Amino acid sequence: MATNPSGQIDSVLTEVRKFEPPAEFSSKAWVKSLAEHQALCKRADDDPEAFWAECARNLDWFKPFDKVLEWKFPFAKWFVGGSLNASYNCLDRHLKGGRRNKAAIIWEGEPGDSRVLTYQMLADEVGRAANALRELGVQEGDRVAIYMPLVPEAAIAMLACARIGAVHSVVFGGFSAEALADRINDAEAKVCITADAGWRRGAHVELKNNVDEALKRCSTIQKVVVLKRVGNKVSMRSGRDVWWDELVARQSPKCPPAQLDSEHMLYTLYTSGTTGKPKGVVHTIGGYLTHTLMTMKWVFDLKEEDTFWCTADIGWVTGHSYTVYGPLAAGATAVMYEGAPNFPHEDRFWRIIEKYGVTIFYTAPTAIRTFIKWGDSWVKDRDLSSLRLLGTVGEPINPEAWIWYRRVIGGDRCPIVDTWWQTETGGIMIAPVPGAIATKPGSATRPLPGVAAEVVTHDGKSVAANQGGLLVIKRPWPGMLRTVFRDPERYRQQYFSQIDGVYFTGDGARRDEDGYFWIMGRVDDVVNVSGHRLGTMEVESALVSHTSVAEAAVVGRPDEMKGQGVVAFVTLEGGRNGNDQLKQELRAHVVKEIGALARPDEIRFTDALPKTRSGKIMRRLLRQIASGDQTLGDTTTLEDLSVLAKLRDDEE
Ligand code: PRX
């Protein structure tokens, strides 16, 4: 997809199928009709502050807020003067009534072990872990890095931080030691919580070893807490490393929740941007929790008896918002599964749905495309009749995958909610409210109540129906990021400087004649690989840190399974020629620097990168070449892109 200078984007997708909400579903839904949805939206638009205040009152506040919003462009404060605690809202408030012995987390480990934690049990564990953090000297505002497999203790660690007002920074377990070190250093984390290892496709993910490696480059970490998950041998450095079991088990389960300002930082989560290292997106308590709680109701239509399964790892925002904070704040039963979808066989997810009677299932398009590839036979012997609602997130879903999801997983009976949002937005922004909004395969449909989304040109003008443009949010919303950790200027620059007066998402979109949004992907230098965001700059700096590489340019190209694949154009030091062995070496180098998710699908050596007269790399040209629009023959030999560049110079 390409933008022209006005920010308009040519859209090629046309999809005419439309699915009305099933009457049976609507009759029981929180929002039962289009008219109700429109009334909610109107109320929110007429008086956004009154609307969000009402939403926020679904939380338990120690002290009520006295001002709904303080907006000093581009910095927002929500529910000013109020105090609350996220772990109290996710746990304690459910202990007073019938939810005390309800399952909060149903967890299944990859090898087949499983655990159920009721709200009471989870609250006790969180209390112990919170006291343990206090014993280690963690104080309000201190950062705690969490680098764990998807086990209950990961959620417990997050909630324990929230309980004492510490700030968690979860780092995905698939990131390398280098990437972990960068994140620990940027956050200046004091404690790191990890595990000996995690399970992935029957093998160990060596988390503790990676921590040891990372900490060679970090000076702020004072203590490392290690959960025994797989029982492998790891080295424990005395004075620094403590076993979770020894530390946590001896603590009291009672830990009074800190009474924290609504704008106190709840967490930071690193995500890729267009420049430099990943940035720490900052979320604060009151607004974030309001947003995640409300979307559980609006988008997932959550009822007391639901069993909700979001398959995302806790290392991503989806795991934060829809495995931990949203479901638990809503008093739901959340399923967590540690491992790979094809271990031991390709039907693992369907067995989990069958075993626990999952009613709401939320996953990524890339996973759905993989299931399609594996074949319907893995699904057909499983009883998926408990399902009543399906969701997707992370990237545009192609209509064919959507239709397969509806037919094969949803038995043609479950509505699908295609949810558009970002790490920065905190919670879902554009999605069908399933009892009210008819769906079209491939469209995230309409903005949620209170969300002022629009498609505009570079100079902020609305575009006509079915014209591509840039997706912006015109009003602050409670779940929005507050800043970039310790870098407010980067926050302003990245999100609020490109289009006057509004939040720029970095995505292209079009709105059709019914007001439905069709997200067309990133328009900046971010690629979306299997629903995970990667800054092309990050991969480039990983490549140039290899001694043979002089310069690198990384672009995305369409990939049938992953959404986008990573293609790297590389020039070598001293005019060297590349070969296959060096390609392998460079791919391994990127894995070491960032993690397997950033491994280039293809490396192409070139004698020079195509640049404009002003020295800017011509990415559009590279994207075209990478997607095969331009054939340049054998890719292992040197490509003379500079010639092409000369021909195309005027176009960038
Ligand atoms: O490009 C959009 C895409 O994922 C980006 C956000 O990535 P991240 O912060 O990692 O969060 C992913 C999970 C919330 C967006 O800018 N994206 C996310 N959801 C969708 C989507 N693209 C199309 N349709 C979606 N439903």
Side-chain angles (χ1 to χ4, degrees), residues 271-272 281 316-318 322 362 365 392-397 417-425 427-428 430 442-444 471 503 505-508 518-524 526 528 531-534:
T271 189
S272 300
V281 163
W316 310 111
V317 74
T318 311
Y322 298 108
Y362 189 36
T392 70
V393 59
E395 52 179 316
I397 182 165
V417 288
D418 173 350
T419 65
W420 176 89
W421 58 296
Q422 309 178 295
T423 306
E424 292 86 346
T425 68
I428 299 166
I430 305 178
S443 169
L471 180 63
Y503 170 85
T505 62
D507 280 340
W518 299 77
I519 310 296
M520 295 151 74
R522 304 286 308 193
V523 294
D524 52 12
V526 169
N528 191 329
H532 301 315
R533 251 163 88 169
L534 279 175

Side-chain angles (χ1 to χ4, degrees), residues 1 48 86 91-92 108 130 140 157 160 202 206 215 217 245 249 254 277 329-330 487 492 497 518 542 589 601 631 651:
M1 176 195 33
L91 301 167
D92 308 49
E108 184 159 302
E140 243 174 72
E206 303 285 348
L215 294 193
R217 285 219 284 120
D245 283 353
K254 298 270 172 278
K277 294 278 182 201
D487 200 348
R492 180 198 298 275
S497 69
W518 299 77
H589 184 70
D601 295 281
T631 318
E651 286 187 32

